């Protein structure tokens, strides 16, 4: 284990050849099925801990509509035939998608995520399973949340750096699928099929993983290392603190709605232009062109004293590094001047110039917007709001 490698989070494109198709749209414009963040309540853990993971996702193939009801999928929620093209694109009809979680891989060879694939394939063969069944090591519960139990006797092994303590590593895989999730093999653990058993492509299938490092406790039983998820005090749009006016979501409030059959987008709330005038703006005929459309300032309201020390790196190098932190901005329409901004540097500290500018699209209607904050040790948090282009 090397310093500054903890808490990795990645998602991979999934197509029939497991490659990534090129795209002309900016990655922060959400027009397909997307995972925006996966949060762990304990980015660093102890043997015996339960670690709860939460996925922020959005199906950008469905036009945003306000006041779509409770979003539980009962009113035409399945919207399609499982082909990845469901939903009628109007009113409030949405296609259902399925979220899967795949846990139970500990200390794979070489600490690589791909080392888990053979573990999963062996468990499938032992169970004689043709599909992934809840309650087995290959459990795939449907929903935005998953809990991993780290065994109290989970193995710990030495770090490559003798100054760092013994550690263990677990990978949790996740999938977001606009079809049916099925078990894979030693080459790829999860597949996503349409109603005709065809592989769905990257617009309709997102697959990724999150790594969880755990350490032996100190002599008194307290954690040797800890990391809190980033905390912010709200979202400012222009001079307006829109969080204080109830115009944002955070944490679970931003999640889609799930039941036993699948998940649909969280409904976009109605924007009150009297209470939050900065969230209401005119369309721009140049469709978010930063050189031609008027800018709308956007930034997080965050207390820089909440940034933590990166104690793992400090132990390795004998320095006083802070955690690195950055922000990703996402929206269903329009564009940003800069969609990724540094929030905290390991050596120079807080970057006060962490905001960006948003440029409105040409089409009137609601726009969903999210601000996702990351740190380099696996911490994630988010806040979202809805804009009204009128």
């Amino acid at each position: 284990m090397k310093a500054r490698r903890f808490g990795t989070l990645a998602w991979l494109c999934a197509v029939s050849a497991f490659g990534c198709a090129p795209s002309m749209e900016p990655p922060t414009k959400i027009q397909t099925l997307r995972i925006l963040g996966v949060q762990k309540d304990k980015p660093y853990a102890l043997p015996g801990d339960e670690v709860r993971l939460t996925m922020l996702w959005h199906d950008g193939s469905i036009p945003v509509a306000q006041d779509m009801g409770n979003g539980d999928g009962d009113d035409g929620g399945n919207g399609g035939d499982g082909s990845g093209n469901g939903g009628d694109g109007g009113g409030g009809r949405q296609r259902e998608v399925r979220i899967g979680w795949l846990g139970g891989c500990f200390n794979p060879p070489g600490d690589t995520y791909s080392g888990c694939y053979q573990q999963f394939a062996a468990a499938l063969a032992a169970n004689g399973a043709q599909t992934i069944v809840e309650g087995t090591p290959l459990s795939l519960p449907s929903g935005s949340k998953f809990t991993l139990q780290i065994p109290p006797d989970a193995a710990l092994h030495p770090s490559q750096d003798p100054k760092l303590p013994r550690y263990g590593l677990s990978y949790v895989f996740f999938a977001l699928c606009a079809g049916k999730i099925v078990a894979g093999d030693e080459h790829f653990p999860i597949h996503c099929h349409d109603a005709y058993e065809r592989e769905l492509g990257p617009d309709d299938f997102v697959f990724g993983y999150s790594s969880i490092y755990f350490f032996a406790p100190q002599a008194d039983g307290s954690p040797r290392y800890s990391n809190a998820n980033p905390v912010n005090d709200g979202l400012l749009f222009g001079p307006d603190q829109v969080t204080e006016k109830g115009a944002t979501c955070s944490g679970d409030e931003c999640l889609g709605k799930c039941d036993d059959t699948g998940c649909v987008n969280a409904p976009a709330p109605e924007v009150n232009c009297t209470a939050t005038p900065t969230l209401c703006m005119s369309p721009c005929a140049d469709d978010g062109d930063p050189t031609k459309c008027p800018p709308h300032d956007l930034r997080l309201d965050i207390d820089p004293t909440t940034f933590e020390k990166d104690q793992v790196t400090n132990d390795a190098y004998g320095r006083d590094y802070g955690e690195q932190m950055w922000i990703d901005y996402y929206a269903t329409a329009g564009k940003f001047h800069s969609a990724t901004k540094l929030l905290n540097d390991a050596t120079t500290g807080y970057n006060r110039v962490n905001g960006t500018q948003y440029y409105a699209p040409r089409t009137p209607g609601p726009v969903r917007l999210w601000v996702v904050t990351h740190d380099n040790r696996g911490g994630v948090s988010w806040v979202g709001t809805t804009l009204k282009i009128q």
Side-chain angles (χ1 to χ4, degrees), residues 47-239:
D49 276 352
E50 285 188 344
V51 181
R52 296 175 177 84
L53 295 92
T54 304
M55 179 190 294
L56 176 66
W57 65 276
H58 187 77
D59 186 1
S61 67
I62 306 300
V64 177
Q66 291 179 316
D67 286 334
M68 294 191 300
N70 58 14
D72 60 7
D74 293 334
D75 183 15
N78 55 8
D81 61 2
S83 65
N85 299 310
D88 63 3
R93 184 176 294 273
Q94 299 190 65
R95 66 175 179 177
E96 283 187 335
V97 300
R98 286 160 182 83
I99 299 174
W101 300 87
L102 186 55
C105 174
F106 292 91
N107 299 319
D111 281 355
T112 62
Y113 72 88
S114 59
C116 295
Y117 294 177
Q118 289 189 342
Q119 289 189 29
F120 293 143
L124 271 176
N127 293 333
Q130 299 302 312
T131 58
I132 298 175
V133 179
E134 187 169 354
T136 73
L138 299 173
S139 174
L140 274 174
S142 177
S144 300
K145 293 179 175 293
F146 176 74
T147 299
L148 175 73
Q149 175 69 58
I150 299 175
D153 58 351
L156 302 173
H157 48 271
S159 169
Q160 295 177 8
D161 188 332
K163 297 187 291 295
L164 296 178
R166 296 172 66 85
Y167 74 99
L169 172 63
S170 180
Y171 285 102
V172 174
F173 295 82
F174 44 82
L176 184 61
C177 169
K180 179 176 64 174
I181 295 176
V182 297
D185 51 30
E186 71 274 13
H187 303 294
F188 208 76
I190 302 176
H191 293 261
C192 177
H193 290 174
D194 67 12
Y196 306 101
E197 303 302 329
R198 298 174 299 196
E199 295 274 1
L200 290 175
D203 287 351
D204 303 298
F205 178 31
V206 187
F207 172 80
Y209 63 86
S210 185
S211 59
I212 301 171
Y213 284 89
F214 51 93
F215 305 89
Q218 299 191 84
D220 61 1
S222 62
R224 185 177 300 273
Y225 297 119
S226 63
N227 180 32
N229 285 302
V231 177
N232 63 72
D233 296 324
L235 185 64
L236 290 95
F237 219 96

